[in-house]
Amino acid sequence: MALPEHESGSIRVTGEALKPVLDKAGLKLTDQLIEDFSVLLTGFEATVNSLPDDAAVQPRPDLEKYPRTDIHIPEDNDLGGWATKVTAKCTAPKNNLLEGRTVALKDNVALAGVRCTNGTAMVEWVPKVDATIATRIMDAGATITGKSVTGPVHNPYAKGYSAGGSSSGSGRLVATGSVDLAIGCDQGGSIRIPAASCGIVGLKPTWGLVPYTGILGLDATIDHAGPMAKTVRDCALLLEVIAGPDGWDDRQPPVELGGYQLDFVDDVDAVTALPKNTMLSGLKVGLLSEGFQIPGQDQHVVESVRSAAMKLAELGATVSSVSVPKHLEAPVAWACSIPASSPQGALLGNRHGRKQLDFSDRCELVSQKLTQAQFDALGPGASYMYLVYLWAQEHHGPKIYSKCINLLKAVGDAYDLALKNVDVLITPTLPDPPIRLPEAGYSQGPLNFMGKTLMLLANTSPFNCTGHPALSLPVGFSPAQDDPNVKLPVGMQIIGRKFRDVDCLKVAAAWEKAFDWKTM
């Protein structure tokens, strides 16, 4: 293909350069039109060339105030937990909410000077910015000690079994005590799934409560970042630190979230200070019937969660069954909508249509399509998503995404209607206990990894699409499906009204205070 001609530092677009573009688009223009558009495009190129460097307007960190040292890839990665180690902290924190605490960031969260792999070797990228939540964590007195792996990681309760994903490393590192707290990111369950698998607490906040600025995402409509911790109180504490608008993320209103609280710990403490049988007095809990009816669901998991949910009545809550038939439709719409559109932003860096911080330096590392080497570096989930995207663009166009977005609005409305009659909904987080990690890893091919994905996400992905807060709380153990002698954690999912994350936390904190999940 002929390239635009360069004259005295400027670019002149010729008809010879324009014709291949027209051919690829299936357009035919007269010679006169080609000449006219060539002149106009020459002006466009001159305008592009006149743009100033955007580095000056990016939120570059003050490395004297927020120094980071000892950046390295550890030889001992805690059975897959660590991607990169670092010591990053603030020399003059704004508060002491997290003083003395250590925190791991999922490896799609930008921390300037530290490689950001996003779980793939597709590109080698070291960001120059800090994610908003990374700055807030350091401003609260915590030390960021590394980036956690996204991918196959060993379960902390049984080596050889999955720690869940994709915030796998964050789940394991918290469970093993390698860090006090961690950040996970969730587009279909990726905070709650590893939390359930690893026996910790993980909250996918209300969509827009926590800024996603400086974080590699999948699709802005479903991207969530949130806290992972051993206890509900610590989960509430980390949420308190990272929540609130930052002026960059257009998912957040440009003013304070009027009417919605951004402090959570006091309410958690108030609930747990009450006598056991009054901790949840007046609260209405709905067992979401369809969440216990996932095809092929493990009955040990079902009974464990049902038993745990019924114990909320001992704490003063009213527990009843609630039906939302559209709950079973949501995972299908999620599965169709995401790969049909998301790779534009997630893999190709084309995150148009949003007002947010974009990684212009990373965009230079990818093009309008992946190279063979970039595709080969993807894991099974990302490679599947990219191929579905190519297929859908060729055979369906934008209709799938549009149709799914409309259907998912109706799903969200159905949850809102149910939540008018109850304060929270309950489901199992996962339909099954964690599976055994394949010995051959990704080399066994994508079918081996993707075969059970839709069912795995059946109870988690709907709330990414609707934006409701959802928390996973460990409530017991279940035998592994391939070995009854192996016991693995079970998570109970608590779903609340939008921006009522505190209700999820209060219910979880009361249950955690009253019962010992490890003896259930």
Side-chain angles (χ1 to χ4, degrees):
M1 178 182 293
L3 298 174
E5 296 179 1
H6 293 255
E7 295 180 354
S8 303
S10 63
I11 297 175
R12 183 169 72 87
V13 178
T14 65
E16 183 183 3
L18 178 56
K19 285 179 180 178
V21 176
L22 297 172
D23 290 342
K24 185 176 181 180
L27 299 175
K28 294 185 180 298
L29 303 182
T30 64
D31 289 344
Q32 183 59 54
L33 284 175
I34 289 175
E35 182 177 342
D36 286 355
F37 281 118
S38 296
V39 173
L40 292 170
L41 287 170
T42 296
F44 171 74
E45 286 294 338
T47 304
V48 170
N49 195 49
S50 71
L51 286 171
D53 189 348
D54 66 329
V57 299
Q58 292 183 21
R60 299 292 175 87
D62 179 347
L63 296 180
E64 290 188 4
K65 183 178 180 181
Y66 302 97
R68 59 244 21 216
T69 59
D70 196 25
I71 302 170
H72 66 282
I73 300 173
E75 292 184 9
D76 179 5
N77 65 5
D78 194 351
L79 291 179
W82 290 112
T84 308
K85 295 293 293 291
V86 65
T87 299
K89 58 195 305 183
C90 180
T91 58
K94 293 180 178 179
N95 58 67
N96 62 357
L97 288 176
L98 298 179
E99 185 177 2
R101 302 294 190 96
T102 55
V103 181
L105 306 176
K106 184 176 179 180
D107 200 23
N108 62 334
V109 180
L111 190 66
V114 182
R115 67 174 188 154
C116 189
T117 71
N118 199 27
T120 175
M122 188 187 93
V123 296
E124 294 183 8
W125 178 57
V126 178
K128 300 175 182 178
V129 300
D130 285 351
T132 296
I133 58 174
T135 303
R136 289 179 176 178
I137 287 167
M138 291 185 285
D139 276 339
T143 300
I144 296 172
T145 56
K147 309 285 286 298
S148 65
V149 165
T150 62
V153 176
H154 289 272
N155 192 287
Y157 285 89
K159 184 178 178 181
Y161 288 83
S162 173
S166 62
S167 304
S168 330
S170 291
R172 177 179 173 83
L173 293 172
V174 170
T176 61
S178 296
V179 292
D180 300 313
L181 307 161
I183 292 293
C185 297
D186 194 314
Q187 287 83 18
S190 295
I191 290 173
R192 291 155 290 160
I193 292 170
S197 300
C198 295
I200 66 169
V201 183
L203 172 67
K204 181 203 75 65
T206 301
W207 185 79
L209 177 61
V210 173
Y212 209 79
T213 305
I215 306 174
L216 292 172
L218 181 55
D219 186 294
T221 64
I222 60 169
D223 287 334
H224 300 73
M228 302 174 73
K230 276 192 175 181
T231 68
V232 177
R233 190 181 192 280
D234 276 354
C235 195
L237 181 62
L238 183 51
L239 179 64
E240 195 166 307
V241 166
I242 63 177
D246 72 343
W248 275 96
D249 190 342
D250 71 354
R251 284 161 281 201
Q252 301 182 291
V255 295
E256 289 297 321
L257 296 170
Y260 301 116
Q261 67 185 81
L262 295 179
D263 55 330
F264 305 97
V265 177
D266 285 349
D267 278 6
V268 166
D269 287 345
V271 164
T272 56
L274 294 171
K276 176 179 176 180
N277 62 347
T278 64
M279 282 195 285
L280 299 179
S281 289
L283 194 117
K284 297 179 181 179
V285 176
L287 272 62
L288 183 56
S289 300
E290 289 76 12
F292 292 83
Q293 298 169 3
I294 307 303
Q297 201 167 23
D298 187 287
Q299 288 307 301
H300 291 101
V301 171
V302 169
E303 292 308 316
S304 178
V305 174
R306 190 183 301 278
S307 175
M310 294 307 297
K311 287 184 177 296
L312 294 170
E314 299 177 28
L315 311 182
T318 301
V319 182
S320 62
S321 292
V322 173
S323 177
V324 181
K326 286 190 175 296
H327 179 72
L328 297 176
E329 298 177 13
V332 178
W334 178 92
C336 291
S337 67
I338 300 312
S341 174
S342 299
Q344 291 186 66
L347 297 177
L348 302 179
N350 184 13
R351 303 199 299 171
H352 63 279
R354 312 295 310 202
K355 293 181 179 179
Q356 59 187 2
L357 174 66
D358 277 333
F359 302 120
S360 52
D361 57 338
R362 192 174 188 273
C363 290
E364 296 176 357
L365 305 176
V366 293
S367 186
Q368 298 178 28
K369 61 182 180 180
L370 298 183
T371 65
Q372 183 67 52
Q374 288 171 335
F375 177 79
D376 291 342
L378 298 176
S383 59
Y384 166 78
M385 184 173 67
Y386 184 63
L387 286 179
V388 172
Y389 166 73
L390 296 177
W391 176 269
Q393 292 298 305
E394 183 71 22
H395 294 280
H396 300 286
K399 181 179 180 180
I400 293 178
Y401 186 80
S402 300
K403 183 177 182 179
C404 290
I405 289 298
N406 294 338
L407 291 172
L408 289 167
K409 173 62 167 63
V411 173
D413 290 345
Y415 293 132
D416 287 339
L417 183 61
L419 285 164
K420 287 184 177 180
N421 299 315
V422 295
D423 296 289
V424 297
L425 297 168
I426 299 285
T427 73
T429 306
L430 292 172
D432 299 324
I435 62 171
R436 188 179 290 276
L437 290 171
E439 293 182 4
Y442 286 163
S443 65
Q444 290 190 1
L447 184 60
N448 182 60
F449 280 86
M450 301 301 297
K452 294 182 67 176
T453 296
L454 187 59
M455 190 184 79
L456 180 71
L457 306 178
N459 280 336
T460 55
S461 62
F463 304 105
N464 290 90
C465 301
T466 66
H468 293 84
L471 178 149
S472 183
L473 176 75
V475 293
F477 287 94
S478 173
Q481 291 188 320
D482 64 344
D483 186 346
N485 295 314
V486 174
K487 307 299 181 184
L488 295 160
V490 171
M492 177 172 74
Q493 183 175 225
I494 306 168
I495 303 107
R497 300 174 185 135
K498 293 172 186 173
F499 291 103
R500 289 297 301 175
D501 303 60
V502 70
D503 290 338
C504 301
L505 291 163
K506 286 161 63 176
V507 172
W511 196 100
E512 179 186 73
K513 176 67 180 298
F515 309 108
D516 181 359
W517 73 273
K518 292 186 178 181
T519 64
M520 295 293 168

